[in-house]
Amino acid sequence: MATRVRSFWRTPPGKIAWLAICLGSIVVLLGAWWYLTRPGGGISPLFLPPPDEVLDAFVRLLSRPYLGSTLGQHIAASLEVVMTGWLAAGLVGLPLGIAMGWWRKARWVAFPIFQVLRPVPPLAWIPLAIVWLGIGESARVFVVFIAAIVPWVMNSMQAVYSIDALLVSAALTLGANDRQILTRVVCRTALPTLVAGARISLGNAWTTLVAAELLAATSGLGYIALNASRTLEIGILLVAMAIIGVLGALFSVIMQLVTRIVAPWSRANAEGA
Amino acid sequence: MTTIAAPMASRPRRAPLSPPLVYGAAAIAFLLVLWFAATAIPGVVSNKVLPSPFDVVERFATLAADTFSGSTLFGHAAASLTRWLIGVTVAVGLGVPLGVLLAWLPPLRPAVTPVFELFRYIPPFAWVPIAVLWYGASTTTQAMIVFIAAFPACVINTQLGVAQVDSILLRAAKTLGAGAATTLSRVVLPVAAPAIFTGIRIAFSNGWMALVGAELVVGKQGLGFLISQGQINDSVSTILVGMITIGALGALIDVVLQRVQRLLLPWKSATTRPVA
Amino acid sequence: MTTTKAHGPTAKMDIRGVSKTFDTRAGAVHALDRCDLAIREGEFVVVVGPSGCGKSTLMMIAAGLEAPSTGQILVDGKPAGPAGPQRTVVFQRFALFPSETVAQNIAFGLRVAGVDRAERARRVTEQLEFMRLSQFRDAYPHELSGGMQQRVAIARALVVRPEILLMDEPFGALDAQTRTVLQEEVARLSREMNYTVMFITHSVEEAVYLGDRVVVMSSRPGRIKKEIAIPRDAGWRRLDIEEASSEPGFIELKREIWALIRTEIVRQ
């Protein structure tokens, strides 16, 4: 008997057991949330409101404008900034990173600069951005750009640098010139890793945007969160956090889909790291 | 002799990833000169937008000696480091054991998956408004943000490190008569230690980055607070001193940890990729 | 069994006085020492030697992927240029492009050379049939076994019609059974198509089975120690490797070559 109990705990659960435990865990969590926040449940609604109140807040956000904009407009504002900053960073960072991975001299010159910049948290650029650009969209785009460019460059460089040198040799002996090797062999082979870098970069951009919106914004999800916190509307605050999380997760899923589309041959697709 | 050159002979040699020091120094020196030139030549950049490197050094000396926004530079740094230390200590203290448990007892994994997936994509920084509501502008708020930023890296990397321990090792330990406790402490943990340590390093760095953000919004002390005060006072040199200090301390923390890792765990590090 | 020194205008590829020294952190490593080797048109030359003797380095230099410290490589009496489709290489680790299908991999050399689409398709299809790969034409490399991947690599190297095919321990990464099948396949290829091949291996059996001439290298610094010609009409030529390896002449050659290598290993 003892060994059977042990072996249950030491074996990975099957698909159905996995789902069951997952569901059970969710039910227990929701139950605990509801139980503890019910009137007289021990947790004040000012600390954590009950589930139905959060749902109400969500419905309210959907149906009525909040802080001058609808929820859709707030989300659009956030998305616009994050996409602008991220894409601008990619426009610079992707070619730069590829060049740094491919040409030794480019790496020698540019790598140290990024090594010096890397330890400075992107968030620490926010005050500088505000002084330089004011509390406007350009300040936020700037900070997102800073947050996104380091992972764009570093991951693209790593992706190109770590291409198996043997593939380059093979292409050389088959008669490819440098340009053909870079475009047909190196960049194509590195594609999944390049997209992974873009994904990390987007994640950073999103995280940083939320911070920037807490400090320098008049719309956006971070702005909702901060205002809700000031006006003690915890339900709305939680909804804003949840939307931020869901969008972050969505970005990650989309980027994984992109990998599958642009590099159907990639084994990394299965891993999903 | 033979073992050194054999792999080199069989494939084209490539330049190492890190550049020779000279190039790095030259590139950074060039940037500094560029910075100085931009501020020194009248009409290029106003001193208010970008002070010269010398102004920043001077400001650094002033901030180190005099009180600004409640403390000297060292006072702010000490406040930040304290909060950071509290946050990461709790994160490591809870995260590493949880990671070991999750790897060692697989049925626990689906139980925590929903929570983990729920929180994974919420940036640590998005917790600031609610943390402020819960704990006010206190050290607890800051430490909580650090904890939230640092915790996942501890759990995930520990779990990966423990899970990748070769089952042959476990079987070998069993045939040698080792019990679960012995196997865990003598076989599993040493093998997983490099991965765990890498997780801790990532956690420390994540925590430091998030703390700065938290301090920008709440608090009356700390390096993040210092740069936000610099912003309010329109003092770019203060902001730059703060940013450089934050970056230098972050880099220092990582360098120290790398040294410690090499000292404590001289054996080969794990093959799995660290997860940030 | 004659020792040949086949220099002169008849050589397809002529390796002349090639030495190679690597600078490593531990000091200079002398990998090759004045290697001379001439390969005639249509000849299958196998280079064997103890591990670390520099035979792979010799091949990299022959391919133009590595520059010799001294000496030169001539093809048809003229200095060979940089690496190119004149001398294609089959590597031990296959080196297939992971992002391309079997057909695209094989077409690579033709595409970069600007061969037009129709001609490309025709030659790729022909090569696929020849290497019995037709049913895998749209598969990606990672979907294939090691043996299949190496067939693709061979097809990719042959389709550009190289003057010389260089093979660097091509079966070293394969399991024993797959290796046997591919050895017989390569024997068939060289019989039917009469390619000029330089083949590196550490397997004496493989060398005797495939080679028209076996070149034994010394341990580091690698020198050409001895060349042993194997008659084209040797009795085992048309046998499979299992049967061939029990032929008395085969066994005798194997023993002779192995004795040469053994002294080199002991000398290290």
Side-chain angles (χ1 to χ4, degrees), chain A residues 164 167 173 180 184 188 265, chain C residues 84-85 93 96 99 112 142:
Chain A
D164 188 350
L167 293 181
T173 63
Q180 286 164 328
R184 286 191 190 280
R188 279 193 68 182
W265 45 270
Chain C
R93 288 190 295 128
L96 296 179
S99 59
V112 296
H142 77 264

Side-chain angles (χ1 to χ4, degrees), chain B:
Chain B
M1 266 302 249
T2 316
T3 47
I4 296 166
M8 301 189 65
S10 60
R11 65 186 66 147
R13 281 173 295 170
R14 54 166 35 169
L17 186 61
S18 349
L21 214 60
V22 196
Y23 277 79
I28 287 162
F30 175 73
L31 274 194
L32 281 175
V33 169
L34 203 70
W35 176 9
F36 175 72
T39 54
I41 301 164
V44 181
V45 185
S46 135
N47 245 36
K48 227 172 129 10
V49 172
L50 186 67
S52 88
F54 299 110
D55 292 345
V56 174
V57 173
E58 208 185 303
R59 185 71 189 146
F60 185 88
T62 317
L63 285 172
D66 303 336
T67 302
F68 175 80
S69 298
S71 311
T72 61
L73 181 62
F74 301 115
H76 288 297
S80 291
L81 285 171
T82 309
R83 295 155 177 168
W84 170 78
L85 207 56
I86 295 171
V88 292
T89 306
V90 179
V92 171
L94 293 178
V96 170
L98 180 61
V100 172
L101 268 181
L102 288 178
W104 197 244
L105 307 174
L108 285 184
R109 272 176 238 165
V112 299
T113 299
V115 192
F116 243 88
E117 287 300 305
L118 181 67
F119 290 140
R120 183 172 149 195
Y121 290 102
I122 298 178
F125 204 77
W127 289 86
V128 170
I130 200 160
V132 172
L133 268 181
W134 287 349
Y135 303 115
S138 64
T139 300
T140 316
T141 298
Q142 319 276 19
M144 176 182 152
I145 302 303
V146 173
F147 168 81
I148 288 170
F151 185 66
C154 291
V155 179
I156 295 170
N157 287 290
T158 303
Q159 190 197 321
L160 287 178
V162 173
Q164 59 141 26
V165 174
D166 200 330
S167 57
I168 290 174
L169 279 181
L170 300 182
R171 250 174 271 158
K174 204 169 191 177
T175 56
L176 291 170
T182 317
T183 309
L184 200 59
S185 63
R186 298 291 298 276
V187 180
V188 174
L189 288 181
V191 175
I196 296 175
F197 208 96
T198 305
I200 292 175
R201 260 177 59 201
I202 295 170
F204 277 21
S205 156
N206 286 358
W208 183 244
M209 298 230 172
L211 173 67
V212 174
E215 287 178 342
L216 286 176
V217 182
V218 290
K220 297 262 174 294
Q221 221 188 1
L223 293 167
F225 176 70
L226 176 75
I227 57 175
S228 76
Q229 288 301 303
Q231 174 213 322
I232 289 166
N233 293 312
D234 245 346
S235 165
V236 175
S237 57
T238 305
I239 298 178
L240 288 175
V241 169
M243 286 172 70
I244 292 166
T245 311
I246 291 164
L249 281 175
L252 188 71
I253 289 168
D254 202 54
V255 168
V256 168
L257 280 175
Q258 278 181 34
R259 285 282 156 81
V260 171
Q261 180 165 16
R262 235 171 287 158
L263 212 67
L264 290 182
L265 314 166
W267 58 89
K268 213 178 144 236
S269 79
T271 45
T272 41
R273 222 155 18 123
V275 177

Side-chain angles (χ1 to χ4, degrees), chain C residues 124-141:
Chain C
V124 168
T125 307
E126 184 188 284
Q127 199 67 45
L128 280 166
E129 272 162 25
F130 186 59
M131 291 303 290
R132 301 178 192 141
L133 284 165
S134 297
Q135 70 200 86
F136 301 107
R137 72 174 296 145
D138 295 319
Y140 284 108

